Amino acid sequence: MSTLDTSRLERVQEKAAILAEALPYIREFSGSIVVIKYGGHAMEDPALADLFAQDVVLMRLVGMNPVVVHGGGPEITAFMDRLSLPVEFVEGLRVSDEATVEVVKMVLVGKVNKDIVLLINRHGQPAIGLCGDDGLLFRAARQAAPSGQDIGFVGRIERVNVGVIEHIASDYIPVIASIGLGYDGQAYNINADTVAAEVAVALGAAKLILMTDVPGVMDRQQSVISVINRPDAREMLAGGAVSGGMIPKLEACMRALDGVPQAHVIDGRTPHSLLLELFTEGGIGTMVTQ
Amino acid sequence: MSTLDTSRLERVQEKAAILAEALPYIREFSGSIVVIKYGGHAMEDPALADLFAQDVVLMRLVGMNPVVVHGGGPEITAFMDRLSLPVEFVEGLRVSDEATVEVVKMVLVGKVNKDIVLLINRHGQPAIGLCGDDGLLFRAARQAAPSGQDIGFVGRIERVNVGVIEHIASDYIPVIASIGLGYDGQAYNINADTVAAEVAVALGAAKLILMTDVPGVMDRQQSVISVINRPDAREMLAGGAVSGGMIPKLEACMRALDGVPQAHVIDGRTPHSLLLELFTEGGIGTMVTQ
Amino acid sequence: MSTLDTSRLERVQEKAAILAEALPYIREFSGSIVVIKYGGHAMEDPALADLFAQDVVLMRLVGMNPVVVHGGGPEITAFMDRLSLPVEFVEGLRVSDEATVEVVKMVLVGKVNKDIVLLINRHGQPAIGLCGDDGLLFRAARQAAPSGQDIGFVGRIERVNVGVIEHIASDYIPVIASIGLGYDGQAYNINADTVAAEVAVALGAAKLILMTDVPGVMDRQQSVISVINRPDAREMLAGGAVSGGMIPKLEACMRALDGVPQAHVIDGRTPHSLLLELFTEGGIGTMVTQ
Amino acid sequence: MSTLDTSRLERVQEKAAILAEALPYIREFSGSIVVIKYGGHAMEDPALADLFAQDVVLMRLVGMNPVVVHGGGPEITAFMDRLSLPVEFVEGLRVSDEATVEVVKMVLVGKVNKDIVLLINRHGQPAIGLCGDDGLLFRAARQAAPSGQDIGFVGRIERVNVGVIEHIASDYIPVIASIGLGYDGQAYNINADTVAAEVAVALGAAKLILMTDVPGVMDRQQSVISVINRPDAREMLAGGAVSGGMIPKLEACMRALDGVPQAHVIDGRTPHSLLLELFTEGGIGTMVTQ
Amino acid sequence: MSTLDTSRLERVQEKAAILAEALPYIREFSGSIVVIKYGGHAMEDPALADLFAQDVVLMRLVGMNPVVVHGGGPEITAFMDRLSLPVEFVEGLRVSDEATVEVVKMVLVGKVNKDIVLLINRHGQPAIGLCGDDGLLFRAARQAAPSGQDIGFVGRIERVNVGVIEHIASDYIPVIASIGLGYDGQAYNINADTVAAEVAVALGAAKLILMTDVPGVMDRQQSVISVINRPDAREMLAGGAVSGGMIPKLEACMRALDGVPQAHVIDGRTPHSLLLELFTEGGIGTMVTQ
Amino acid sequence: MSTLDTSRLERVQEKAAILAEALPYIREFSGSIVVIKYGGHAMEDPALADLFAQDVVLMRLVGMNPVVVHGGGPEITAFMDRLSLPVEFVEGLRVSDEATVEVVKMVLVGKVNKDIVLLINRHGQPAIGLCGDDGLLFRAARQAAPSGQDIGFVGRIERVNVGVIEHIASDYIPVIASIGLGYDGQAYNINADTVAAEVAVALGAAKLILMTDVPGVMDRQQSVISVINRPDAREMLAGGAVSGGMIPKLEACMRALDGVPQAHVIDGRTPHSLLLELFTEGGIGTMVTQ
């Protein structure tokens, strides 16, 4: 009687092993909230964007509650140019006068947010877009640049109204634009990584995942650090072992650890990076733990 | 022994009569959905806008489910001008090429919608903004001008996904921008009166209320018609007895009557016009009934 | 285009103002228990009795839980006369031997109570009559006159079985006759104002309202005191500033304040006095607060 | 080793047999409604009244829903005499002018009903008294004597509002006085056997039990008929085989069979007659079946 | 008019008295768990077995939750003989090597347990059989004979997983074989009386009932002790006042009293012994109380 | 900046692809019942048995409801030999006299069943064993061999009491021995494949999976047929294209299709065969569909 040929058998056994490896994670995270900061190439490259949407939908299918947070720098700048408004950055942060914030809000809420909502909808799970105004989701306070220089209506989050996200997430995938409302009624432009961290803490998420355009946090040998704990990460930040755009990302991870067991910096350029992070034993990128 | 003086007594009795008149309506509409098309002076005049928000919040307080639908013509035109985009109308409808629709969506969703959401939030009941993309709320199809002339990405609603509105309305006041999504993935600009009518029919609302800048539907003597039934309204439309901007409004009322018992054209310039319509015996403006 | 004429507009605005004033109260008291001592002219004058029943029904319609407590002095005396039984009062209290109590119970429970029940039923909300025997609602103890003189089977309430009232009030308007059951199995005649106060405390009512035949508590200038707090009311009682029938009413209010935030003495001769008290800013009569 | 002596053993075995016989009935009637017309010696003899109350409480304890209906002839006549009102009967029915009905209602509702309520309460299960006014329980229409002679405000039941009884019965034992309300707002005196039959039909009771002062329906040999079906009972009535007070009782049974599977005429003079009827194989008295 | 003849009346009154005596117990134990150790003649005599099954079904019918625990010595020995396996007892306990335990388990679980399940099923209430393996119901530890001699895989219960029994008991009558699972994965033979006691404690049962082949615990005059409290029973055990098979039974009762208010030793040879114990005032056999 | 090396990247991408392939199946079968006939090498080889138990537990973890059905031929024969009972087969079916059936039941219920229960328990999900007696799970009728020859107490299933399995499956994994109860009270030996098919139909399972010792159904070229529909399978059976042990297996699949959309014959010798069947696109073995 015929049986499976050897090479097919090997492939089958590998499949079986991957599945047996994945199923306990699916169980573990079933019902859990995972907050994902979406951005970078994974947002700009249509093929990656499509795989991202597919992953978010699959997460929902197997019982998780993904919450997507996004910013949208390049689209804002492009629109500012069309309106001939000056674009200025201080210490990597957009200087935001009233006209700028109005444009930021229109582009993020009226364009970028809805594009993501549609992309997810198209893969078969309904998403709803939110910004800080909806149900008074975020309360923001003005925040200067790290150096202390005033940069206008740029804010930090003071309060997250979790009820709103939970209500939406009970039936829909929430997609949140990083716009907050000040107690003065003014809109504030807020960094999306820190929004994602604050949302994750407020929701008591199981994980925060920051999608970036790098493989993870690097050690001095430029190898990806697979797992790092909080004290070590704090030391890296203090000792200048991380630099550039990774600094705010790692700081966002540290903040998240106030209420979230695991924060991840993953490479959004890897297809299905979310699935790999969630459902394989080593995950990908860097995990920051307690 | 002292008693109430006569004039105070009269005032007190009038109060008592108004309350006794109002309470049965409060009961009747408790738990009912009322769809309100918000626009015109009531949106542009800050004092009226504030009273509108207060009325919507009071409706919610006494157990009704108000659903707000809005457009936003003047703000769109202003922004088109800032972008030096040409503004063109055919038969009262905005000709909408792709660039126009993009601007319409950003202004309605990213600005006008959030302004209304905030105004209602500030009166103490949380609101959430929606557009046709959220949870695939509206499916739109392209629609030419009445004369048959093509006017670009202007649409009519083919399907309302009521689940989305019901989910939001269970805890929040939904505020809906009149932007729909075509089956082709393209955004469509849709007339807000007809959006309100379609939403009212889909939700099985108890009332549709269109806020306008006129006292109601007028008869040939230019007196407001208090109540008109469907056949008579159809005859007025056919016989040319209504004209200008009232035509699409009356047509929206007629469409609403397919699923809603009462449709109203009220004068948004009258302070608290919503309360007066809902909780007094004659109401205000014109009621179109079966 | 025609608009509202000025005088109609003024009337309309006044209506709108009254409604905007009333709605927050409707919300505030929705779901609240309000205990009403019903008696005096409002019970004897058929027109006032009808308005009373209408008000109670409207309270129920907008979500409140009215609980009606009543006595019935004049009807008892009339029936005592028909039976040639001697009628005697000591310090304003009916001397009650066994034969008297039997008649009091038959008249209150078998006649007055059912008349009130029917009146409310006829306005469209079902009511159910109760006395202290039903579900062992009240446990009473014998109580002498203030001077210490024994006056027979006259009692005070020692325990209210709130479960009975709550069970009835979940679907019906409870109407309670002021008859209590002693631990000795004997029926006791109890003052209806104090029954109302005990019921209000036991139920944790939001308000106790005593309907009387005076405009309220009077100050030395014979003007109605609109609001008085507990210490001041205690001083008035101690200093002899109130007299006659107002003394036990004010004492009932003081007792109610042990568990109820607000107790009211209102003029039952004013039509719709309940609505005015509940849904207007100043209310009517005298409010005693903490 | 010692064992049970023979006579104790026999007694024990008999106990066991009775219990094994009773348990399936307890199960069968668990959750069932049983309507009991209470009257006669069982009401007048304090020892029997006490056993009756005990039986009703035991029924409730084992999960049944007993509903008690009562009249109260002798007490009414006594009170009519005290008021020097004329007492007149036509064909066994009390001629009831307005003054008579007022007294009937006061005595039944304000005295007899509350005495039964208290008796049951005292055995540890709470009861609540009702009459036709409460929640508009009964709607009555005027009914002449069988011969057609008008006898005043004597009625028959046209409608039973079962919701009221079910609401009370969910937590309390309902005790119902046979007073009905006419559509004219007038109280009507109604025969308690027929009230019990109507209530049993309206509630879909499992049994109607009429407590009488005779052993049951007798055959021509003056032996109690244990079981009789509907056609045979109809023939007995038509053929004059029953007479006197048994006629209306048997007719009430016949009416009950429109909605109730079994109607019983039992001897209220036998102690624990209710338990014997319900939980022994032959029951006692006469059972009328379909 | 004929009435009941005297002797029938006496019998009827006795019935009534037995019922009135039984009903409060039915109420008291409704919803209660009663753990019954089944064994001895009541298991071997088919007529008694049938009455036992009937009693268990009647207990269930009136709302109790009977849980049956059993061993099965004689059947095990018979099967051991068929397999020519040596049968050895030490201090009344079966010496159990691996082969013996395998046979014990097969006979108890695959034969005796299913026979009891079927007997109960046949009386109309569904039963499900369990042993220590099912849902890891019992965790057992090895236990030497009282003298300290090792007797193989004989165990005592260390943990009862009550969730399993409660889940089964919510819809079915659990029938439990006295086989436990060691932490080493080995099956253990456990004394069924002690299994019953542990199950009763773990479930918080209202009663433990041990069915035996004696009338109860005997005093020095060989009379059955009707009630004995814990300290007195402890003294009897310590003072050697009980002997033979009664020792482990009384010890099981003592253990049960750690969590169960009443433990009973009854004579399984008396027909309907369970009903008599549960529903008559004196019960039968011996009750050990706190 | 360093990135993933190519070979690791390939492996990662393959993992991602397998997960993306598996997740929709996990969703599709979440909440579904899958009936698995367990037997053959997968039961005899301890390593395979362990992987089987792991797969069943993983199925449960991701929300499926696995139901295990088993026979146990080799263990029965071994025990028959120990008892020196004659072992006889007719047309592949065990001839079963009363002594044989008693042994079959003891071995299957008291040994094989509990071994499977323990194996699953040990992987962390509780299982409960059942046979046809429990809750009267199966009703069996006597069935001759295909040739018509009587072979004793061998049966077929006439009725499955699904309530029992559903009750167990709500909290536990049911493991069912293929023993049925005749209406005559006699135990019957039933083929486990047909038991599994009947159970699957009765439960409305999503799948029936028969674990065998062959790769699947073979075509004439001895290649495994991946998918075959019902008419083609019927033709294969009729045309003699299948032979030996595959005939009853394919017939069981055909029977299952009366109520189950898909029936599978898989190779139990392949590790994790259940996972591969359920969560990969092609599955393994042969699928018989409508």
Short mmCIF file of all heavy atoms in Angstrom, two decimals, chain D residues 172-212:
data_model
loop_
_atom_site.label_atom_id
_atom_site.label_comp_id
_atom_site.label_asym_id
_atom_site.label_seq_id
_atom_site.Cartn_x
_atom_site.Cartn_y
_atom_site.Cartn_z
N TYR D 172 -45.97 35.71 46.69
CA TYR D 172 -46.93 35.70 47.80
C TYR D 172 -48.09 34.77 47.47
O TYR D 172 -48.32 34.44 46.32
CB TYR D 172 -47.46 37.12 48.04
CG TYR D 172 -46.37 38.08 48.41
CD1 TYR D 172 -45.70 38.80 47.43
CD2 TYR D 172 -45.96 38.23 49.74
CE1 TYR D 172 -44.65 39.66 47.76
CE2 TYR D 172 -44.92 39.10 50.08
CZ TYR D 172 -44.27 39.81 49.08
OH TYR D 172 -43.24 40.63 49.40
N ILE D 173 -48.83 34.39 48.50
CA ILE D 173 -50.05 33.62 48.28
C ILE D 173 -51.19 34.61 48.10
O ILE D 173 -51.50 35.38 49.02
CB ILE D 173 -50.33 32.68 49.47
CG1 ILE D 173 -49.18 31.67 49.61
CG2 ILE D 173 -51.68 31.98 49.31
CD1 ILE D 173 -49.25 30.82 50.88
N PRO D 174 -51.82 34.64 46.92
CA PRO D 174 -52.93 35.57 46.71
C PRO D 174 -54.20 35.07 47.41
O PRO D 174 -54.54 33.89 47.33
CB PRO D 174 -53.14 35.57 45.19
CG PRO D 174 -52.04 34.74 44.61
CD PRO D 174 -51.51 33.87 45.70
N VAL D 175 -54.87 35.99 48.11
CA VAL D 175 -56.16 35.70 48.75
C VAL D 175 -57.16 36.70 48.18
O VAL D 175 -57.00 37.90 48.36
CB VAL D 175 -56.04 35.86 50.28
CG1 VAL D 175 -57.39 35.62 50.94
CG2 VAL D 175 -54.98 34.91 50.85
N ILE D 176 -58.16 36.17 47.46
CA ILE D 176 -59.00 37.02 46.62
C ILE D 176 -60.43 37.07 47.13
O ILE D 176 -61.09 36.03 47.26
CB ILE D 176 -58.99 36.50 45.16
CG1 ILE D 176 -57.54 36.44 44.65
CG2 ILE D 176 -59.85 37.38 44.27
CD1 ILE D 176 -57.40 35.76 43.30
N ALA D 177 -60.94 38.29 47.41
CA ALA D 177 -62.34 38.47 47.79
C ALA D 177 -63.21 38.56 46.54
O ALA D 177 -62.82 39.17 45.55
CB ALA D 177 -62.48 39.75 48.62
N SER D 178 -64.40 37.98 46.61
CA SER D 178 -65.26 37.84 45.42
C SER D 178 -66.06 39.11 45.14
O SER D 178 -67.29 39.09 45.11
CB SER D 178 -66.19 36.65 45.62
OG SER D 178 -66.99 36.86 46.76
N ILE D 179 -65.32 40.20 44.94
CA ILE D 179 -65.93 41.48 44.58
C ILE D 179 -65.40 41.88 43.22
O ILE D 179 -64.20 41.85 43.00
CB ILE D 179 -65.53 42.56 45.62
CG1 ILE D 179 -66.18 42.32 46.96
CG2 ILE D 179 -65.86 43.96 45.11
CD1 ILE D 179 -67.68 42.54 46.99
N GLY D 180 -66.31 42.22 42.29
CA GLY D 180 -65.88 42.60 40.95
C GLY D 180 -66.25 44.03 40.63
O GLY D 180 -67.13 44.62 41.27
N LEU D 181 -65.57 44.57 39.64
CA LEU D 181 -65.81 45.94 39.22
C LEU D 181 -66.51 45.93 37.88
O LEU D 181 -66.05 45.29 36.94
CB LEU D 181 -64.46 46.65 39.10
CG LEU D 181 -64.50 48.10 38.66
CD1 LEU D 181 -65.01 48.97 39.79
CD2 LEU D 181 -63.12 48.53 38.21
N GLY D 182 -67.64 46.64 37.80
CA GLY D 182 -68.35 46.73 36.52
C GLY D 182 -67.70 47.75 35.60
O GLY D 182 -66.97 48.62 36.06
N TYR D 183 -68.01 47.67 34.33
CA TYR D 183 -67.48 48.66 33.39
C TYR D 183 -68.07 50.04 33.69
O TYR D 183 -67.56 51.06 33.29
CB TYR D 183 -67.79 48.24 31.95
CG TYR D 183 -66.94 47.09 31.50
CD1 TYR D 183 -67.42 45.79 31.49
CD2 TYR D 183 -65.61 47.30 31.10
CE1 TYR D 183 -66.62 44.73 31.09
CE2 TYR D 183 -64.82 46.25 30.70
CZ TYR D 183 -65.31 44.97 30.69
OH TYR D 183 -64.52 43.93 30.30
N ASP D 184 -69.15 50.02 34.45
CA ASP D 184 -69.78 51.27 34.87
C ASP D 184 -69.13 51.84 36.14
O ASP D 184 -69.57 52.85 36.68
CB ASP D 184 -71.28 51.03 35.14
CG ASP D 184 -71.51 49.83 36.05
OD1 ASP D 184 -70.50 49.22 36.52
OD2 ASP D 184 -72.66 49.47 36.30
N GLY D 185 -68.08 51.21 36.63
CA GLY D 185 -67.40 51.71 37.82
C GLY D 185 -68.07 51.27 39.11
O GLY D 185 -67.63 51.61 40.21
N GLN D 186 -69.13 50.50 39.00
CA GLN D 186 -69.90 50.02 40.15
C GLN D 186 -69.30 48.71 40.66
O GLN D 186 -68.85 47.89 39.86
CB GLN D 186 -71.35 49.81 39.67
CG GLN D 186 -72.25 49.10 40.64
CD GLN D 186 -72.52 49.94 41.88
OE1 GLN D 186 -72.76 51.14 41.78
NE2 GLN D 186 -72.44 49.33 43.05
N ALA D 187 -69.29 48.54 41.99
CA ALA D 187 -68.87 47.26 42.56
C ALA D 187 -70.00 46.24 42.44
O ALA D 187 -71.17 46.58 42.58
CB ALA D 187 -68.47 47.43 44.02
N TYR D 188 -69.62 44.97 42.19
CA TYR D 188 -70.62 43.91 42.11
C TYR D 188 -70.27 42.78 43.07
O TYR D 188 -69.10 42.43 43.25
CB TYR D 188 -70.70 43.35 40.68
CG TYR D 188 -71.45 44.24 39.74
CD1 TYR D 188 -70.80 45.26 39.06
CD2 TYR D 188 -72.83 44.08 39.55
CE1 TYR D 188 -71.49 46.10 38.21
CE2 TYR D 188 -73.53 44.92 38.70
CZ TYR D 188 -72.86 45.92 38.03
OH TYR D 188 -73.55 46.75 37.19
N ASN D 189 -71.30 42.23 43.67
CA ASN D 189 -71.22 41.08 44.54
C ASN D 189 -71.26 39.84 43.65
O ASN D 189 -72.19 39.67 42.86
CB ASN D 189 -72.45 41.15 45.47
CG ASN D 189 -72.48 40.05 46.49
OD1 ASN D 189 -71.50 39.35 46.68
ND2 ASN D 189 -73.63 39.92 47.16
N ILE D 190 -70.27 38.95 43.74
CA ILE D 190 -70.24 37.78 42.85
C ILE D 190 -70.09 36.51 43.69
O ILE D 190 -69.40 36.50 44.70
CB ILE D 190 -69.07 37.86 41.85
CG1 ILE D 190 -68.91 39.29 41.30
CG2 ILE D 190 -69.28 36.89 40.70
CD1 ILE D 190 -67.79 39.44 40.30
N ASN D 191 -70.75 35.44 43.25
CA ASN D 191 -70.64 34.17 43.94
C ASN D 191 -69.20 33.67 43.93
O ASN D 191 -68.56 33.62 42.87
CB ASN D 191 -71.58 33.15 43.24
CG ASN D 191 -71.41 31.77 43.84
OD1 ASN D 191 -70.54 31.01 43.41
ND2 ASN D 191 -72.21 31.45 44.85
N ALA D 192 -68.69 33.29 45.11
CA ALA D 192 -67.27 32.96 45.23
C ALA D 192 -66.91 31.67 44.51
O ALA D 192 -65.77 31.52 44.02
CB ALA D 192 -66.87 32.87 46.71
N ASP D 193 -67.84 30.70 44.42
CA ASP D 193 -67.54 29.47 43.67
C ASP D 193 -67.28 29.79 42.21
O ASP D 193 -66.35 29.25 41.60
CB ASP D 193 -68.72 28.48 43.78
CG ASP D 193 -68.86 27.90 45.18
OD1 ASP D 193 -67.83 27.56 45.79
OD2 ASP D 193 -70.00 27.81 45.67
N THR D 194 -68.11 30.66 41.64
CA THR D 194 -67.92 30.96 40.22
C THR D 194 -66.68 31.83 40.03
O THR D 194 -65.98 31.71 39.02
CB THR D 194 -69.15 31.66 39.62
OG1 THR D 194 -69.30 32.94 40.23
CG2 THR D 194 -70.41 30.85 39.83
N VAL D 195 -66.39 32.70 41.01
CA VAL D 195 -65.13 33.46 40.91
C VAL D 195 -63.96 32.49 40.86
O VAL D 195 -63.05 32.61 40.02
CB VAL D 195 -64.97 34.43 42.11
CG1 VAL D 195 -63.54 35.01 42.14
CG2 VAL D 195 -65.99 35.56 42.03
N ALA D 196 -63.98 31.49 41.76
CA ALA D 196 -62.88 30.53 41.81
C ALA D 196 -62.75 29.79 40.48
O ALA D 196 -61.64 29.57 39.97
CB ALA D 196 -63.09 29.54 42.96
N ALA D 197 -63.89 29.41 39.90
CA ALA D 197 -63.85 28.69 38.62
C ALA D 197 -63.27 29.57 37.53
O ALA D 197 -62.43 29.14 36.73
CB ALA D 197 -65.26 28.22 38.24
N GLU D 198 -63.71 30.84 37.47
CA GLU D 198 -63.19 31.75 36.43
C GLU D 198 -61.69 31.99 36.59
O GLU D 198 -60.94 32.04 35.62
CB GLU D 198 -63.94 33.09 36.46
CG GLU D 198 -65.41 33.02 36.10
CD GLU D 198 -65.65 32.54 34.67
OE1 GLU D 198 -64.76 32.75 33.82
OE2 GLU D 198 -66.72 31.96 34.41
N VAL D 199 -61.28 32.17 37.85
CA VAL D 199 -59.86 32.40 38.12
C VAL D 199 -59.05 31.17 37.70
O VAL D 199 -57.99 31.29 37.06
CB VAL D 199 -59.64 32.73 39.61
CG1 VAL D 199 -58.17 32.61 40.00
CG2 VAL D 199 -60.15 34.13 39.92
N ALA D 200 -59.56 29.98 38.00
CA ALA D 200 -58.84 28.75 37.66
C ALA D 200 -58.69 28.61 36.15
O ALA D 200 -57.62 28.27 35.64
CB ALA D 200 -59.58 27.54 38.24
N VAL D 201 -59.76 28.92 35.41
CA VAL D 201 -59.69 28.83 33.95
C VAL D 201 -58.69 29.86 33.41
O VAL D 201 -57.83 29.54 32.59
CB VAL D 201 -61.08 29.06 33.32
CG1 VAL D 201 -60.97 29.24 31.81
CG2 VAL D 201 -62.01 27.89 33.66
N ALA D 202 -58.81 31.10 33.92
CA ALA D 202 -57.96 32.16 33.39
C ALA D 202 -56.49 31.88 33.66
O ALA D 202 -55.62 32.18 32.83
CB ALA D 202 -58.36 33.50 34.01
N LEU D 203 -56.19 31.29 34.80
CA LEU D 203 -54.80 31.02 35.16
C LEU D 203 -54.27 29.72 34.55
O LEU D 203 -53.09 29.43 34.66
CB LEU D 203 -54.64 30.92 36.69
CG LEU D 203 -54.76 32.20 37.50
CD1 LEU D 203 -54.78 31.88 38.99
CD2 LEU D 203 -53.58 33.12 37.21
N GLY D 204 -55.16 28.93 33.94
CA GLY D 204 -54.73 27.61 33.49
C GLY D 204 -54.28 26.77 34.67
O GLY D 204 -53.23 26.12 34.62
N ALA D 205 -55.08 26.78 35.74
CA ALA D 205 -54.72 26.03 36.95
C ALA D 205 -54.70 24.54 36.67
O ALA D 205 -55.31 24.05 35.70
CB ALA D 205 -55.73 26.34 38.06
N ALA D 206 -53.97 23.80 37.49
CA ALA D 206 -53.96 22.34 37.39
C ALA D 206 -55.19 21.74 38.07
O ALA D 206 -55.65 20.66 37.70
CB ALA D 206 -52.70 21.77 38.02
N LYS D 207 -55.71 22.45 39.06
CA LYS D 207 -56.86 21.95 39.80
C LYS D 207 -57.68 23.12 40.33
O LYS D 207 -57.12 24.16 40.69
CB LYS D 207 -56.41 21.15 41.05
CG LYS D 207 -56.04 19.72 40.81
CD LYS D 207 -55.58 19.08 42.12
CE LYS D 207 -55.05 17.67 41.90
NZ LYS D 207 -56.11 16.66 41.73
N LEU D 208 -59.00 22.90 40.41
CA LEU D 208 -59.89 23.75 41.20
C LEU D 208 -60.40 22.89 42.35
O LEU D 208 -60.86 21.76 42.12
CB LEU D 208 -61.08 24.24 40.35
CG LEU D 208 -62.21 24.89 41.15
CD1 LEU D 208 -61.79 26.24 41.72
CD2 LEU D 208 -63.46 25.05 40.28
N ILE D 209 -60.32 23.41 43.57
CA ILE D 209 -60.82 22.66 44.72
C ILE D 209 -61.84 23.50 45.46
O ILE D 209 -61.52 24.60 45.93
CB ILE D 209 -59.67 22.28 45.69
CG1 ILE D 209 -58.61 21.44 44.95
CG2 ILE D 209 -60.21 21.53 46.90
CD1 ILE D 209 -57.41 21.05 45.81
N LEU D 210 -63.07 23.02 45.51
CA LEU D 210 -64.13 23.72 46.25
C LEU D 210 -64.28 23.07 47.61
O LEU D 210 -64.65 21.89 47.71
CB LEU D 210 -65.46 23.66 45.48
CG LEU D 210 -65.45 24.19 44.04
CD1 LEU D 210 -66.86 24.04 43.42
CD2 LEU D 210 -65.03 25.65 43.99
N MET D 211 -64.02 23.83 48.68
CA MET D 211 -64.18 23.28 50.03
C MET D 211 -65.63 23.50 50.47
O MET D 211 -66.12 24.64 50.49
CB MET D 211 -63.23 23.97 50.99
CG MET D 211 -61.77 23.69 50.62
SD MET D 211 -60.59 24.49 51.73
CE MET D 211 -60.74 23.43 53.16
N THR D 212 -66.31 22.41 50.82
CA THR D 212 -67.73 22.50 51.17
C THR D 212 -67.97 21.86 52.54
O THR D 212 -67.03 21.43 53.19
CB THR D 212 -68.58 21.74 50.13
OG1 THR D 212 -68.28 20.34 50.27
CG2 THR D 212 -68.26 22.17 48.71
#
